[in-house]
Amino acid sequence: MRRALLTAALMVGVVATSRGADEPPRFPIMAWDYADDEPTLRSMADCGINAVAFVPEKALDLCAKLGLRAIVFDPASTPQPWNEPFQSGPALKNLPALIERVNDHPAVMGYHLRDEPDASQFPALGEAVALVRKLAPGKWPYINMTPGMGEGYDQFLDLFVKQSDPTILSYDNYPLGQDGNFSYGYWANIAQVRAAGLRHKLPFHTIMLSVAHLTYGEPTATTLRLQAYGALAYGARGICYYKFISRELPILDAPDLGDWRAAPLDQFLEKTPNWDVMRDLNRQIANLGPWLLKLRSDVVYHVGEVPEGNRGLGDDSLLKGLLAGESLLIGEFTHEEDGSRWLMIVNKHLKHATTCQPDFREPPEKVEYVSPVTGELKPFPAPWYSLAPGQGVLLKITPKAK
């Protein structure tokens, strides 16, 4: 019961970022980056970002002015440098005063604890999570997990939940290689995180690649769309971009990797072409968000090649298949208030657009779609509606009366 009540509270207080009293909650769209000046924060807000992963106390007023929620970064409460293990002592000592000073600030979404901890750090993180829960109910004790695959990763996530008791499952996975290939490990990973979220009744957020570095390739409009719409099809309750700026993180003694490129802002904080690409995508997600936040993920399947750890069409699916397209992803949902059925159909192909022609197991009375341009529910213009590479569409299905 405690977990159920907590999860319900999170849906309002953390998972969906707040707006005015008469406005619907916003789907969380976060920049995983540090920012403390108005030009950078304004560039994020203008791009459709509504939350920032690393914000110092001094920048909270700027965030509120720009409509941004913030994960508060306090260097005294988190390990320095970035690769040092988390110790609960500094957090338990310093978080109470920080929370007392800033917790009522309208920009505060949560408090940064640790990025990518190993299992040895879970008990200490659990102590810090318990403290944040006690002193700042409804705020996110922010921990982000590593990617992974296979049975060992299931056990890793279960141990994390048992020992750290998180409020949200957040993880990162960067699927784009320098040759432009999109790793199918992305789908295996997200399937396991989704399953862990369902097991433990926790929402999950995903951090996706938006900057080239090390062995990771330059993001494009297609790969940004595919990561985001793919996550939405799996039922993610928030997305995050790593990173917004093509430079090293200027905190936590993070190293300069030397080859940052193609993020929305370059190393001189000037806009790149991907700023416009991300803004377009974020506008679409923001328009879908009020609908997505009311949907419960039921099943996810692939049409065409089925990635490891996933499934294809089955007798339990709303669709028998699709009449066009060779590589697609479908998420089925139920509306938590009225019980209506919904589909997210995503074109996974990196080069070819396809018309969206779902072949229903039982022909429906009506099919509607949420316009990514206006957010309105409209009659679905089959068979003409086309999905660009990486693009998705959200459909509402009304069955025939029996």
Side-chain angles (χ1 to χ4, degrees), residues 65-307:
K65 173 183 174 181
L66 297 168
L68 295 166
R69 303 296 304 282
I71 300 295
V72 181
F73 171 75
D74 172 28
S77 302
T78 194
Q80 306 237 26
W82 64 276
N83 56 349
E84 285 295 311
F86 183 86
Q87 303 289 340
S88 60
L92 299 181
K93 176 182 177 182
N94 294 293
L95 278 171
L98 175 67
I99 291 171
E100 184 175 2
R101 290 196 306 272
V102 307
N103 199 56
D104 291 335
H105 196 287
V108 174
M109 182 180 184
Y111 299 90
H112 175 74
L113 296 180
R114 185 66 163 85
D115 185 59
E116 296 190 339
D118 60 38
S120 69
Q121 301 171 61
F122 292 170
L125 284 164
E127 295 181 54
V129 168
L131 179 66
V132 173
R133 276 223 179 94
K134 176 182 177 181
L135 300 180
K139 301 296 170 64
W140 184 1
Y142 183 83
I143 305 167
N144 178 62
M145 304 304 293
T146 58
M149 291 174 57
E151 182 180 354
Y153 191 64
D154 286 333
Q155 296 170 350
F156 180 74
L157 292 175
D158 289 344
L159 185 65
F160 172 56
V161 173
K162 178 181 178 180
Q163 296 188 342
S164 298
D165 199 19
T167 56
I168 293 172
L169 288 178
S170 173
Y171 79 105
D172 55 66
N173 188 300
Y174 309 142
L176 188 62
Q178 295 195 65
D179 57 3
N181 287 333
F182 193 96
S183 169
Y184 266 26
Y186 184 78
W187 308 117
N189 194 172
I190 196 170
Q192 287 190 261
V193 175
R194 174 184 177 273
L198 293 175
R199 283 197 303 275
H200 299 288
K201 297 182 173 61
L202 288 172
F204 79 89
H205 288 210
T206 187
I207 302 178
M208 51 190 259
L209 182 71
S210 57
V211 64
H213 64 290
L214 297 178
T215 61
Y216 302 111
E218 295 188 9
T220 65
T222 295
T223 59
L224 287 171
R225 282 195 301 264
L226 183 53
Q227 290 176 90
Y229 272 100
L232 300 181
Y234 275 84
R237 289 298 184 111
I239 65 166
C240 182
Y241 297 106
Y242 180 88
K243 302 170 60 263
F244 197 83
I245 309 170
S246 295
R247 69 177 184 193
E248 73 276 13
L249 196 69
I251 54 173
L252 298 173
D253 293 331
D256 183 359
L257 303 180
D259 62 347
W260 305 102
R261 58 198 188 280
L265 296 184
D266 64 20
Q267 60 267 47
F268 303 106
L269 303 181
E270 300 288 342
K271 293 177 182 177
T272 72
N274 271 343
W275 188 93
D276 292 294
V277 168
M278 187 181 287
R279 180 179 60 172
D280 179 88
L281 178 58
N282 288 341
R283 285 173 169 174
Q284 296 178 44
I285 297 169
N287 285 327
L288 300 177
W291 302 93
L292 292 168
L293 290 170
K294 295 179 180 179
L295 302 181
R296 181 187 69 245
S297 178
D298 295 327
V299 64
V300 181
Y301 47 94
H302 292 250
V303 175
E305 186 175 355
V306 177

Side-chain angles (χ1 to χ4, degrees), residues 16-31:
T17 61
S18 300
R19 303 190 82 172
D22 298 327
E23 297 180 86
R26 297 184 297 179
F27 192 91
I29 305 172
M30 180 182 285

Side-chain angles (χ1 to χ4, degrees), residues 231 320 355:
K320 291 189 295 183
T355 54

